[in-house]
Amino acid sequence: MVLSKMAASLIKRCLSVKCKSLTPFLSARRWLLSAAYTDPKVWEARMTEPHNLAALASMMDRTYDRNFPVSSLTVSRFVDNISSREEVDQAEYYLYKFRHSPNCWYLRDWTIHSWIRQCLKYGAKDKALHTLKNKVQYGIFPNDFTFNLLLDSFIKDKDFKSACFVVEEIMLQEAFDLHSTQILSLYALSNYLSAKPQLTILEERSLGASLLLCGLKQHSTVGLSAQLLGNALLGKVEFLKGIHNVFKGMPLFWARGYLGRSLDVMEAAAADVGDVKLSKDALDLVNAVLQELSSHTDSSGEPLEKDDKKEEEVDEDDLAEKAKLPKYVSRFEELMSQLESRGKVEPASFKASVTAMSEQQLADAEKPDLEEYLSQVQSWEAERRQLIHREQETRQKAEQEKQERLAARAAAQQA
């Protein structure tokens, strides 16, 4: 109850801050998450249990040595009591041990959230990203709000490559449900692409899938431009490596023809009666991809699997898709003319369009997230208290049974 009132008061104060009161300088940077969103006060207002980490570590080591399972509460307490960068490294070890124990399925959502917050607090974002990229080994599957905190931290550091790694994990977990997550993801992707990095086939596939799945969440200039870029990058991978290397391990549509679908996006934009357009630089990238593939004479791209020593065979359907390339080039030129004649080409860059959308929409997107987060923290606390109560009952029962056994043994000795 104390948590509920305190957290509700904090959320209310955070939400009462109006964007109009911001100075022009702060307004210009409003596409980043606000201080109200990233403020840890609601999280730190929980009723925590102080514990000595050395004692917890010793107890877990003894438990594992005896081949007994460690409880999720014990791991949660260890993570909650981190107080330094060195202790983050220790917690990483015990997260790994817990993931490879019989209780691996019971790592709590609030423990994952606490782990990411502790990594951000003690300058260990590299550890947060490492455990996220190796989620199967550590069990780190964050919720939407936690993803946003980590993504925003990399964006504010202008580390857009790491931010895109986070977006890739969001894409793989199909977690583009929150509008705020979509905005932050597109902002990271557009800034990274604007630097024109040299991309491997793997990176093009990852970025393409992220752009496509995130872009499908909205019908706008930004959304359609993201779909255009995503389909084009995936189409390039399909042309060079075959369709199986596109959807393998990805939550993507299995049908061939990603280059064709990028042109379908252009056709849809040309036919749209609203104000939806396509960014000029997105269209330029599609044209560059088509021209590169047209001049491609041998399969010189980097293989998706570095351990493969022989090139994967391309089946007949992949060859048939490659044969459509001249038609794709011709259709692109026709659709480009239609877009230009109908005023459907947005002269602003994709990055500029995403930035404008962020400035306009992110503030409104934050409010429901914060309200949901308050409810989520309360739910987590209720579940944690229930587990603590169950743990106490189990210990009391075990102690009672122990005393009964000792009494029975003593009675037997007297007899």
Side-chain angles (χ1 to χ4, degrees):
M1 193 65 180
V2 174
L3 168 70
S4 177
K5 289 181 178 180
M6 186 181 299
S9 175
L10 288 168
I11 288 289
K12 186 175 181 180
R13 288 205 303 272
C14 292
L15 295 178
S16 66
V17 178
K18 302 296 183 181
C19 292
K20 293 181 181 179
S21 65
L22 296 173
T23 64
F25 173 76
L26 290 176
S27 297
R29 294 183 59 80
R30 186 57 192 84
W31 57 84
L32 303 177
L33 288 179
S34 67
Y37 199 103
T38 57
D39 194 340
K41 289 181 180 178
V42 172
W43 180 248
E44 293 175 353
R46 301 172 305 135
M47 298 293 291
T48 57
E49 303 174 273
H51 282 276
N52 181 281
L53 289 193
L56 284 176
S58 177
M59 182 187 71
M60 286 192 284
D61 289 339
R62 291 196 308 271
T63 304
Y64 283 129
D65 289 342
R66 297 167 64 189
N67 293 322
F68 289 156
V70 168
S71 73
S72 61
L73 270 178
T74 303
V75 176
S76 177
R77 287 164 180 151
F78 195 98
V79 173
D80 282 343
N81 282 274
I82 290 173
S83 60
S84 68
R85 177 64 175 80
E86 292 72 18
E87 290 172 353
V88 171
D89 296 335
Q90 297 173 28
E92 177 197 356
Y93 169 77
Y94 287 108
L95 285 170
Y96 180 88
K97 289 283 289 184
F98 186 80
R99 181 61 175 177
H100 293 79
S101 73
N103 277 355
C104 62
W105 300 109
Y106 299 104
L107 185 65
R108 305 296 170 176
D109 289 342
W110 69 76
T111 305
I112 296 172
H113 181 75
S114 182
W115 164 249
I116 297 299
R117 278 197 177 275
Q118 297 286 48
C119 287
L120 297 180
K121 182 177 181 179
Y122 294 106
K125 283 186 289 188
D126 58 326
K127 287 295 181 184
L129 190 58
H130 172 73
T131 54
L132 180 62
K133 291 169 68 176
N134 296 279
K135 53 188 176 293
V136 175
Q137 299 298 321
Y138 292 93
I140 302 302
F141 296 87
N143 66 359
D144 298 335
F145 192 92
T146 311
F147 266 131
N148 280 0
L149 293 178
L150 183 58
L151 180 54
D152 178 70
S153 70
F154 285 118
I155 291 176
K156 286 176 177 173
D157 287 345
K158 299 187 182 299
D159 185 357
F160 297 113
K161 183 172 184 178
S162 295
C164 286
F165 281 133
V166 179
V167 176
E168 179 183 357
E169 293 302 324
I170 295 173
M171 175 270 296
L172 290 172
Q173 296 186 36
E174 301 181 71
F176 287 121
D177 296 326
L178 296 185
H179 189 44
S180 55
T181 305
Q182 299 166 26
I183 293 173
L184 291 172
S185 297
L186 289 170
Y187 185 81
L189 291 166
S190 63
N191 274 270
Y192 183 58
L193 287 174
S194 68
K196 301 186 183 301
Q198 294 294 320
L199 302 174
T200 64
I201 288 291
L202 271 176
E203 291 170 336
E204 288 178 327
R205 183 181 75 152
S206 172
L207 291 172
S210 299
L211 285 162
L212 175 59
L213 295 182
C214 190
L216 286 171
K217 293 292 184 177
Q218 46 188 293
H219 183 77
S220 62
T221 295
V222 168
L224 284 186
S225 297
Q227 294 177 44
L228 179 68
L229 288 168
N231 277 311
L233 290 173
L234 292 172
K236 179 181 177 181
V237 176
E238 179 185 359
F239 185 92
L240 295 175
K241 296 297 176 182
I243 188 62
H244 294 283
N245 281 326
V246 173
F247 65 72
K248 184 180 180 180
M250 290 281 182
L252 292 171
F253 191 49
W254 289 18
R256 291 173 172 80
Y258 277 93
L259 283 175
R261 284 191 279 280
S262 68
L263 302 180
D264 292 341
V265 173
M266 294 177 64
E267 186 174 355
D272 187 85
V273 295
D275 57 356
V276 173
K277 301 178 181 180
L278 292 174
S279 298
K280 178 66 165 58
D281 57 347
L283 292 164
D284 290 342
L285 185 143
V286 177
N287 184 42
V289 168
L290 291 172
Q291 295 304 318
E292 178 185 349
L293 296 180
S294 296
S295 61
H296 184 82
T297 56
D298 59 356
S299 183
S300 58
E302 182 180 332
L304 282 176
E305 299 293 340
K306 295 181 179 179
D307 294 335
D308 290 348
K309 295 182 179 180
K310 60 181 181 180
E311 184 178 355
E312 295 184 10
E313 295 182 0
V314 180
D315 61 28
E316 294 181 359
D317 291 327
D318 285 331
L319 292 175
E321 179 62 28
K322 284 188 175 185
K324 297 178 183 178
L325 185 59
K327 294 182 180 179
Y328 288 154
V329 174
S330 176
R331 187 183 173 200
F332 173 83
E333 294 172 352
E334 295 174 1
L335 290 171
M336 193 66 192
S337 298
Q338 293 181 25
L339 290 168
E340 291 174 340
S341 63
R342 297 174 187 179
K344 290 292 186 176
V345 178
E346 172 58 56
S349 67
F350 179 57
K351 174 184 173 181
S353 297
V354 173
T355 300
M357 178 191 70
S358 304
E359 291 178 306
Q360 296 166 7
Q361 301 179 17
L362 188 53
D364 291 335
E366 284 189 6
K367 184 174 181 178
D369 290 2
L370 287 169
E371 293 172 346
E372 174 61 27
Y373 179 59
L374 170 60
S375 175
Q376 184 67 78
V377 171
Q378 292 172 347
S379 175
W380 284 342
E381 281 304 286
E383 185 179 356
R384 189 171 71 92
R385 286 193 298 270
Q386 184 180 16
L387 289 174
I388 292 173
H389 179 68
R390 189 185 306 166
E391 179 186 62
Q392 292 171 344
E393 288 183 336
T394 302
R395 286 179 176 175
Q396 290 173 358
K397 184 178 179 180
E399 181 62 25
Q400 181 180 353
E401 291 175 350
K402 178 181 177 181
Q403 295 301 326
E404 290 175 353
R405 288 196 303 270
L406 291 175
R409 186 181 303 169
Q413 289 176 352
Q414 291 178 358

